[in-house]
């Protein structure tokens, strides 16, 4: 027969057993939890992350729209921080989430400082999205060493400097957005190594200069956005009857070439070339193409404006301020 225990000793033993059973049953890896709590602290302990309670299980109890854990390893593999009002810096602790595959930081307007170098430790990372924040500094060279990356979106931040040629080493990359920053310098020739895997490339709204790399020749994109930069030269090699490019946004640069000599692939439905120095006339059969977006205003085009077909979708603002375009919707001009 077991001896009777004092109530105080029994209470202590029961509490200890409860604590141990809770600790043993928690899925969340302690290293991951510590890293997440450090990240929360760096963001100013915002109310948006109120569910990140150190006393609870990060895998099971914290808000599902902020993170997820792998079913087998229980390691945090996805982190999503969106629309957080009170934000500070992204701390180096982000690099301690060693099994992270997706990192999404979107519309955290007050997030400032550079992209932490410790992100280079995230060797499993496939998706990197830091957009619509106040992140600044250069695009890190180390991103070119993260071979598992397939998707990068660093758009609408305050990033400066040149685009690292090292990004051309990311052979699995199919989506790259660096638009709406303050980037300068040329488009790296090394980007030619990304084709044809890279299908979406957005570089618009920066201060890029120089010519478009010739390595883009015969390369088809779903979307190519080079708009609102200081790029120049002949980019007719981006076109061609065998091209499968879907959307081309090339406006507000200094491109100069003969528009009349272009051939278009069957899939091209969006073409914006306004505010450049293109010349010549419209290629034959232009009006028969199923254009969804089209603008060639503010150029040096001459000749007749195509009539009928899909051109009825577009008003005079798609053509204005050219050298000598004739017929409706513009008044006759002397050729």
């Amino acid at each position: 027969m077991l001896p009777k225990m004092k109530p105080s000793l029994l209470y202590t033993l029961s509490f200890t057993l409860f604590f141990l059973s809770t600790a043993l049953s928690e899925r969340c890896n302690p290293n991951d939890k510590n890293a997440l709590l450090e990240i929360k602290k760096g963001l100013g302990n915002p109310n948006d992350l109120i569910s990140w309670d150190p006393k609870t299980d990060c895998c099971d109890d914290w808000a599902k729209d902020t993170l997820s854990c792998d079913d087998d390893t229980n390691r945090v593999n996805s982190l999503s921080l969106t629309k957080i009002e009170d934000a500070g810096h992204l701390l180096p602790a982000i690099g301690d989430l060693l099994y992270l595959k997706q990192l999404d930081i979107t519309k955290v307007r007050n997030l400032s400082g550079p992209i932490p170098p410790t992100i280079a430790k995230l060797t499993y990372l496939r998706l990197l999205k830091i957009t619509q924040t106040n992140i600044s500094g250069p695009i890190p060279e180390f991103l070119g060493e993260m071979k598992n990356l397939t998707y990068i979106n660093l758009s609408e931040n305050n990033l400066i400097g040149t685009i690292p040629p090292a990004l051309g080493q990311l052979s699995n990359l199919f989506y790259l957005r660096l638009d709406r920053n303050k980037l300068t310098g040329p488009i790296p020739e090394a980007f030619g190594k990304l084709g044809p895997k890279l299908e979406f490339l957005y570089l618009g709204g920066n201060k890029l200069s120089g010519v478009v790399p010739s390595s883009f020749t015969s390369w088809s994109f779903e979307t190519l956005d080079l708009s609102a930069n200081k790029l120049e030269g002949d980019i007719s090699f981006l076109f061609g009857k065998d091209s499968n490019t879907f959307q081309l946004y090339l406006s507000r640069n200094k491109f100069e070439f003969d528009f009349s000599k272009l051939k278009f692939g069957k899939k091209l439905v969006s073409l914006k070339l306004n505010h450049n120095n293109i010349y010549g006339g419209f290629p034959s059969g232009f009006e028969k193409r199923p254009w969804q977006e089209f603008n060639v205003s503010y150029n040096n085009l001459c000749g007749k404006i195509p009539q009928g077909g899909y051109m009825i979708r577009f008003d005079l603002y798609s053509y204005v301020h050219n050298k000598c375009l004739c017929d409706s919707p513009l008044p006759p001009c002397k050729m």
Side-chain angles (χ1 to χ4, degrees), residues 5-22:
M5 296 184 183
K6 293 182 179 181
S8 59
L9 180 61
L10 183 62
Y11 174 80
T12 302
L13 180 60
S14 299
F15 178 81
T16 303
L17 289 172
F18 174 77
F19 177 82
L20 288 173
S21 64
T22 301

Side-chain angles (χ1 to χ4, degrees), residues 20-33:
L20 288 173
S21 64
T22 301
L24 290 172
S25 64
E26 182 170 336
R27 289 179 59 204
C28 185
N29 181 279
N31 293 330
D32 289 351
K33 176 181 275 190

Side-chain angles (χ1 to χ4, degrees), residues 128-141:
L128 174 61
K129 184 179 182 182
I130 305 177
T131 180
Q132 300 177 60
T133 75
N134 201 31
I135 284 284
S136 58
I139 298 172
E141 288 272 355

Side-chain angles (χ1 to χ4, degrees), residues 131-152:
T131 180
Q132 300 177 60
T133 75
N134 201 31
I135 284 284
S136 58
I139 298 172
E141 288 272 355
F142 65 73
L143 292 182
E145 301 173 7
M146 302 178 70
K147 304 302 184 183
N148 285 318
L149 281 170
T150 62
Y151 180 109
I152 297 176

Side-chain angles (χ1 to χ4, degrees), residues 259-264 281-289 306:
F259 190 60
S260 65
K261 295 182 178 180
L262 294 186
K263 304 291 183 182
F264 302 106
F282 283 86
S284 176
F286 192 86
E287 72 282 357
K288 298 178 181 179
R289 300 190 55 79

Side-chain angles (χ1 to χ4, degrees), residues 180 203-208 212 224-232 235 238-239 247-257 270-278 293-299 317-318:
R180 280 64 182 171
L203 301 176
N206 285 291
K207 299 178 181 179
L208 301 177
V212 177
L224 175 61
D225 179 7
L226 304 178
S227 62
N229 280 293
K230 299 178 180 179
L231 298 167
E232 58 188 13
I235 54 167
L238 295 177
F239 300 85
Q247 297 175 314
L248 280 173
Y249 301 115
L250 307 168
S251 61
R252 298 182 182 276
N253 281 287
K254 301 176 183 178
F255 296 133
E256 186 173 354
F257 57 92
S270 297
L271 178 61
K272 291 196 173 182
L273 277 166
N274 50 292
H275 294 83
N276 279 289
N277 296 316
I278 62 174
E293 295 179 284
F294 166 73
N295 195 326
V296 293
S297 63
Y298 293 87
N299 279 290
Y317 293 104
S318 298

Side-chain angles (χ1 to χ4, degrees), residues 114-127:
I115 297 173
T118 53
I119 285 183
K121 295 162 60 178
L122 306 179
T123 56
Y124 293 100
L125 200 66
R126 297 176 183 172
L127 180 148

